[in-house]
Amino acid sequence: MLNLGKLHFGGDYNPEQWPKEVWKQDIELMQKAGVNLVSLGIFSWAKIERRDGEYHFDWLDEAMQLLHEGGISVDMATATASPPAWLVKAHPEVQPVNFDGVRLSHGGRQHYCAASGVYREKAAALVDQIASRYASHPAVVMWHVNNEYGCHAPYCFCENSRQAFIKWLQERYSSLDELNASWGTDFWSQRYYEWDELVVPKRTPDGTHPNPGQQIDFKRFTNDVTLELFKMERDIIKRYDSVHPVTTNFMSMKFTYAMDYWKWAKEMDFVSTDHYLAQHDPQNHIDLAQQADLTRGFANGQQWLLMEHSTSAVNWQPRNYAKTPGQELRNSASFVSRGSQGVMYFQWRQSQAGSERFHSALVPHAGEDTRVYREIAELGAWLKENPEVANHPTDRAQVAMIYDYEQFWALMQANLPTQDLSYAETVAKWYRALWELGIRVDFLPADASKADLSAYKLVLMPMVHMLSEAEEQAYHDYVADGGNLVVSYFSNISDRTLRVKLGGYGGKLVRELAGVYVEEFYPLREGQGELSNGLKPELWSELSRLEGAKAIATFKSSDVDGSPALTVREVGDSKVWYQGTELKLGSQKKFFKDIASTLGIDMEGGDESEVVRRGPYVFTINHAKNKVSLKKS
Ligand code: GLA
């Protein structure tokens, strides 16, 4: 667990990039800004292990000592995120192979295959050295395993990966017959008769794509094989330090999807995450709020830590806009209101060389007499003055949204009714509609238990494409016990193997619970489609009929005129809404507003301001240029 009674403030510290004279100044500037925690050694493998088995800790010992004397705690990294040149030269097979069969080179970072035995062996040896050396160092307060697993080259298609994939499949399926049945390999002559015939889903001939079941299993495998790396490092650390918590930094961002963080969070002592704004988007504070809420979901509603964000511009977007005055304070307040135990950044001092030299930091190239340093020092002072905030988790919302990586993976595949579906965009649109209405949201995984679901007045299911029978049952039970649901189009279409459920799309969830029988999909043409109640649909319509639900709106000016588009079914005191189309943002807001009013859900703030409660603390943040007065209903 994270320390209570204190909010952390600081960031990645890379002293190896600077001469030692700078280190002393670093400590003074950290103290002046109120920094109390740094993540140390994240990319230091080549500096620590200069040849195979030859370790140099003198410089790190010195940096640790300076930090400790300066009263700054250390989030000790395991340095395994970027294998050194000597390692890849001796063992080129450590480097991952991409979808097209190209082996990726040393020279960037994260150039390792998660299934590589050599990588595991060398990483384990390094972690053993670091953990044994620093486990009882008084500066260490937490451990930072690797860095952003799955960020740059999550999927490796090399022979080692193929072998590991086969082993993983052998554990998942009791027999090849079972695998063949769930992948549907009688289609296109894909049946396997020997385990060793199985391949990783590399590029196939143009116009064809690997088998859907194979693709989704490969994504599951990649998650699991990468998670094994984390567990390996964590267990080594635990051998030397059973006191301080171990984490690894997630990337809770809209389009990062390779790792299933619900699974990862279960293996960690506390959840930490990184978040970077799409600075071209004037509404990016809504994405920030969404990702912070999602991270709190991974943390099961408890406190978590923002491990990285930026003080100002990043260096990897097409145009890297700097933050405007005050924006960083608002961003940080939003993270803290939504459960972060502090505010951390990439990185302490802006690099002079290397590909991140134009990425902002706490100490910019221009030095400390700068807007950025002054603003962060102001924030540091505020965090120091309000340590008790850390003792309270963010208050629970009344609405939960289902978020599930496997749905993301399924909907990324080709050969769907339309290639314009985007899981990330739909979830973001639903979240934004709610944010603008001032409705707070918690996130739950699709396999949430009935007990988890029951904590909420309303549960939203945007494109929950695959559900097992047991999962489906949990939603039926939730409704039977008084819960209310909104289910979107293209939900519960398949079981978890991607085999379609027959007898009306959406299975029992849509046909029985929502009371709508869906026959056929009709993706809308550009500009086509209206709804009878004036709301604006896009992307999707379907031929359907009511089987127990009431229509709120039907399709017009479409190929399925008269088919129900928005419906509600009353089940005892509960209501199940079905949304058989994608709605434009303004219409999505109206639809949710009606639902919230019907159910008496609190709406506070909204438009351009947010109100979030963390125990006795009420955070009110105004993102508009002008003053606003807060609304509550
Ligand atoms: C990620 C990494 C950092 C740094 C930042 C730049 O979050 O973890 O090392 O590269 O991106 O935005």
Side-chain angles (χ1 to χ4, degrees), residues 396-402 443-461 470-479 481-485:
R396 195 195 283 276
Q398 295 173 322
V399 177
M401 193 176 329
I402 301 301
F443 284 93
L444 289 176
D447 63 356
S449 64
K450 195 201 87 184
D452 291 338
L453 297 166
S454 296
Y456 297 93
K457 263 193 190 169
L458 175 65
V459 172
L460 307 174
M461 303 179 75
E471 289 163 350
E472 206 181 336
Q473 189 58 44
Y475 295 95
H476 283 254
D477 295 346
Y478 162 70
V479 170
D481 274 11
N484 302 286
L485 269 186

Coordinates of all heavy atoms in Angstrom, one line a residue, residues 396-402 443-461 470-479 481-485:
R396 N -17.0 7.5 -4.0 CA -17.5 6.6 -5.1 C -18.6 7.4 -5.9 O -19.3 8.2 -5.4 CB -18.2 5.4 -4.4 CG -18.5 4.3 -5.4 CD -19.5 3.3 -4.7 NE -18.9 2.5 -3.7 CZ -18.3 1.3 -4.0 NH1 -18.1 1.0 -5.3 NH2 -17.8 0.6 -3.1
A397 N -18.6 7.1 -7.2 CA -19.6 7.7 -8.1 C -20.9 6.9 -8.0 O -20.9 5.8 -7.5 CB -19.1 7.7 -9.5
Q398 N -21.9 7.5 -8.6 CA -23.2 6.7 -8.7 C -23.4 5.9 -10.0 O -24.2 5.1 -10.1 CB -24.4 7.7 -8.6 CG -24.4 8.4 -7.3 CD -25.5 9.5 -7.3 OE1 -25.7 10.2 -8.3 NE2 -26.2 9.7 -6.1
V399 N -22.5 6.2 -10.9 CA -22.5 5.6 -12.2 C -21.2 4.9 -12.5 O -20.1 5.4 -12.2 CB -22.7 6.7 -13.3 CG1 -22.7 6.0 -14.7 CG2 -24.0 7.5 -13.1
A400 N -21.3 3.6 -13.0 CA -20.1 2.9 -13.4 C -20.2 2.6 -14.9 O -21.2 2.3 -15.5 CB -20.0 1.6 -12.6
M401 N -19.0 2.7 -15.5 CA -18.9 2.4 -16.9 C -18.0 1.1 -17.1 O -17.0 1.1 -16.4 CB -18.3 3.5 -17.7 CG -18.5 3.3 -19.2 SD -18.0 4.6 -20.4 CE -18.2 6.1 -19.7
I402 N -18.4 0.2 -17.9 CA -17.6 -1.0 -18.1 C -16.5 -0.6 -19.1 O -16.7 0.0 -20.1 CB -18.5 -2.1 -18.7 CG1 -19.6 -2.5 -17.8 CG2 -17.6 -3.3 -19.0 CD1 -19.2 -2.9 -16.4
F443 N -15.0 3.3 -13.1 CA -14.9 2.2 -14.1 C -14.8 0.8 -13.5 O -14.2 0.7 -12.4 CB -13.6 2.4 -15.0 CG -13.8 3.6 -16.0 CD1 -13.4 4.9 -15.7 CD2 -14.3 3.3 -17.2 CE1 -13.5 5.9 -16.6 CE2 -14.5 4.4 -18.1 CZ -14.1 5.6 -17.8
L444 N -15.4 -0.1 -14.2 CA -15.4 -1.5 -13.7 C -15.0 -2.4 -14.9 O -15.3 -2.1 -16.1 CB -16.8 -2.0 -13.3 CG -17.4 -1.4 -12.0 CD1 -18.8 -1.9 -11.8 CD2 -16.5 -1.8 -10.8
P445 N -14.4 -3.6 -14.7 CA -14.1 -4.5 -15.8 C -15.4 -5.2 -16.2 O -16.4 -5.3 -15.4 CB -13.1 -5.5 -15.1 CG -13.5 -5.5 -13.7 CD -13.9 -4.1 -13.4
A446 N -15.4 -5.8 -17.4 CA -16.6 -6.5 -17.9 C -17.0 -7.7 -17.0 O -18.1 -8.1 -17.0 CB -16.5 -6.8 -19.3
D447 N -16.0 -8.3 -16.4 CA -16.3 -9.5 -15.6 C -16.5 -9.1 -14.1 O -16.4 -9.9 -13.2 CB -15.1 -10.5 -15.7 CG -13.8 -10.0 -15.1 OD1 -13.7 -8.8 -14.7 OD2 -12.8 -10.8 -15.1
A448 N -17.0 -7.9 -13.9 CA -17.3 -7.4 -12.5 C -18.3 -8.4 -11.9 O -19.2 -8.8 -12.6 CB -17.8 -6.0 -12.6
S449 N -18.2 -8.6 -10.6 CA -19.2 -9.4 -10.0 C -20.5 -8.6 -9.8 O -20.5 -7.4 -9.8 CB -18.7 -9.9 -8.6 OG -18.5 -8.7 -7.8
K450 N -21.5 -9.4 -9.4 CA -22.8 -8.7 -9.2 C -22.6 -7.8 -8.0 O -23.2 -6.7 -7.9 CB -23.9 -9.7 -8.8 CG -25.3 -9.1 -8.9 CD -26.3 -10.0 -8.1 CE -26.3 -9.6 -6.7 NZ -27.2 -10.3 -5.9
A451 N -21.8 -8.2 -7.0 CA -21.6 -7.3 -5.8 C -20.9 -6.0 -6.2 O -21.3 -4.9 -5.8 CB -20.7 -8.0 -4.8
D452 N -19.9 -6.0 -7.1 CA -19.3 -4.8 -7.6 C -20.3 -3.9 -8.3 O -20.4 -2.7 -8.1 CB -18.1 -5.1 -8.6 CG -17.0 -5.8 -7.9 OD1 -16.9 -5.6 -6.6 OD2 -16.2 -6.4 -8.5
L453 N -21.1 -4.6 -9.2 CA -22.1 -3.8 -10.0 C -23.1 -3.1 -9.1 O -23.5 -2.0 -9.3 CB -22.8 -4.7 -11.0 CG -21.9 -5.4 -12.0 CD1 -22.6 -6.5 -12.8 CD2 -21.4 -4.3 -13.1
S454 N -23.5 -3.9 -8.0 CA -24.6 -3.4 -7.2 C -24.3 -2.1 -6.4 O -25.2 -1.6 -5.8 CB -25.0 -4.5 -6.2 OG -25.4 -5.6 -6.9
A455 N -23.0 -1.7 -6.4 CA -22.7 -0.5 -5.7 C -23.2 0.7 -6.5 O -23.1 1.9 -6.0 CB -21.2 -0.4 -5.4
Y456 N -23.7 0.5 -7.7 CA -24.0 1.6 -8.6 C -25.5 1.7 -8.9 O -26.1 0.6 -9.2 CB -23.1 1.6 -9.8 CG -21.7 1.7 -9.5 CD1 -20.9 0.6 -9.2 CD2 -21.1 3.0 -9.3 CE1 -19.6 0.7 -8.8 CE2 -19.8 3.1 -8.9 CZ -19.0 2.0 -8.7 OH -17.7 2.1 -8.3
K457 N -26.0 2.9 -9.1 CA -27.4 3.1 -9.5 C -27.5 2.7 -11.0 O -28.6 2.3 -11.4 CB -27.7 4.6 -9.4 CG -28.5 4.9 -8.1 CD -29.0 6.3 -8.3 CE -29.6 6.8 -6.9 NZ -29.9 8.2 -6.9
L458 N -26.4 3.0 -11.7 CA -26.5 2.9 -13.2 C -25.2 2.3 -13.7 O -24.1 2.8 -13.3 CB -26.8 4.3 -13.8 CG -26.8 4.3 -15.3 CD1 -27.9 3.5 -15.9 CD2 -26.9 5.8 -15.8
V459 N -25.3 1.3 -14.5 CA -24.1 0.7 -15.2 C -24.2 0.9 -16.7 O -25.3 0.6 -17.3 CB -23.9 -0.8 -14.8 CG1 -22.8 -1.4 -15.6 CG2 -23.7 -0.9 -13.3
L460 N -23.1 1.4 -17.3 CA -23.1 1.7 -18.7 C -22.3 0.7 -19.4 O -21.1 0.4 -19.0 CB -22.5 3.1 -19.0 CG -23.2 4.2 -18.2 CD1 -22.4 5.5 -18.4 CD2 -24.6 4.4 -18.6
M461 N -22.8 0.1 -20.5 CA -22.0 -0.9 -21.3 C -21.8 -0.5 -22.7 O -22.6 -0.8 -23.6 CB -22.8 -2.2 -21.2 CG -23.1 -2.7 -19.8 SD -24.1 -4.3 -19.9 CE -22.8 -5.5 -20.3
A470 N -21.3 -16.7 -17.8 CA -21.3 -16.3 -16.4 C -21.3 -14.8 -16.2 O -22.0 -14.2 -15.4 CB -20.1 -16.9 -15.7
E471 N -20.6 -14.1 -17.1 CA -20.5 -12.7 -17.0 C -21.9 -12.1 -17.4 O -22.3 -11.1 -16.7 CB -19.4 -12.1 -18.0 CG -18.0 -12.4 -17.5 CD -17.0 -12.3 -18.7 OE1 -17.3 -12.2 -19.8 OE2 -15.8 -12.4 -18.3
E472 N -22.5 -12.6 -18.4 CA -23.8 -12.1 -18.8 C -24.8 -12.3 -17.7 O -25.6 -11.3 -17.4 CB -24.2 -13.0 -20.0 CG -25.2 -12.4 -20.9 CD -25.6 -13.3 -22.0 OE1 -24.9 -14.3 -22.4 OE2 -26.7 -13.1 -22.6
Q473 N -24.7 -13.4 -17.0 CA -25.6 -13.6 -15.8 C -25.5 -12.5 -14.8 O -26.5 -12.1 -14.1 CB -25.3 -15.0 -15.3 CG -26.4 -15.5 -14.3 CD -27.8 -15.5 -14.8 OE1 -28.0 -16.0 -16.0 NE2 -28.7 -15.0 -14.1
A474 N -24.2 -12.1 -14.5 CA -24.0 -11.1 -13.5 C -24.9 -9.8 -13.8 O -25.4 -9.2 -12.8 CB -22.6 -10.7 -13.3
Y475 N -25.0 -9.4 -15.0 CA -25.8 -8.2 -15.4 C -27.3 -8.5 -15.2 O -28.0 -7.6 -14.8 CB -25.5 -7.8 -16.8 CG -24.0 -7.3 -17.0 CD1 -23.0 -8.2 -17.4 CD2 -23.6 -6.1 -16.6 CE1 -21.7 -7.8 -17.5 CE2 -22.3 -5.6 -16.6 CZ -21.3 -6.5 -17.1 OH -20.0 -6.1 -17.1
H476 N -27.7 -9.7 -15.5 CA -29.1 -10.1 -15.3 C -29.4 -10.0 -13.8 O -30.4 -9.5 -13.4 CB -29.4 -11.5 -15.8 CG -29.5 -11.6 -17.3 ND1 -30.7 -11.8 -17.9 CD2 -28.6 -11.5 -18.3 CE1 -30.5 -11.8 -19.2 NE2 -29.3 -11.6 -19.5
D477 N -28.5 -10.5 -13.0 CA -28.7 -10.5 -11.5 C -28.7 -9.1 -11.0 O -29.5 -8.8 -10.1 CB -27.6 -11.3 -10.8 CG -27.7 -12.8 -11.2 OD1 -28.7 -13.2 -11.7 OD2 -26.7 -13.5 -10.9
Y478 N -27.8 -8.3 -11.5 CA -27.7 -6.9 -11.1 C -29.1 -6.2 -11.3 O -29.6 -5.5 -10.4 CB -26.6 -6.2 -11.8 CG -26.6 -4.7 -11.8 CD1 -26.3 -4.0 -10.7 CD2 -26.8 -4.0 -13.0 CE1 -26.4 -2.6 -10.7 CE2 -26.9 -2.6 -13.0 CZ -26.6 -1.9 -11.9 OH -26.6 -0.5 -11.9
V479 N -29.6 -6.4 -12.5 CA -30.9 -5.8 -12.8 C -32.0 -6.4 -12.0 O -32.9 -5.6 -11.4 CB -31.2 -5.9 -14.3 CG1 -32.7 -5.5 -14.6 CG2 -30.2 -5.1 -15.1
D481 N -31.8 -7.3 -9.1 CA -31.7 -6.8 -7.7 C -31.9 -5.3 -7.7 O -31.5 -4.6 -6.7 CB -30.3 -7.1 -7.2 CG -30.3 -8.4 -6.6 OD1 -31.2 -9.2 -6.7 OD2 -29.3 -8.7 -5.9
G482 N -32.4 -4.7 -8.8 CA -32.7 -3.2 -8.7 C -31.8 -2.3 -9.5 O -31.9 -1.1 -9.4
G483 N -30.8 -2.9 -10.1 CA -29.8 -2.1 -10.9 C -30.4 -1.6 -12.2 O -31.3 -2.2 -12.7
N484 N -29.8 -0.6 -12.8 CA -30.2 0.0 -14.1 C -29.1 -0.1 -15.1 O -27.9 0.2 -14.7 CB -30.7 1.4 -13.9 CG -31.8 1.6 -12.9 OD1 -32.9 1.2 -13.1 ND2 -31.4 2.0 -11.7
L485 N -29.4 -0.4 -16.3 CA -28.3 -0.6 -17.3 C -28.6 0.2 -18.5 O -29.7 0.5 -18.9 CB -28.4 -2.0 -17.8 CG -27.6 -3.2 -17.2 CD1 -27.8 -4.4 -18.0 CD2 -26.1 -2.8 -17.1

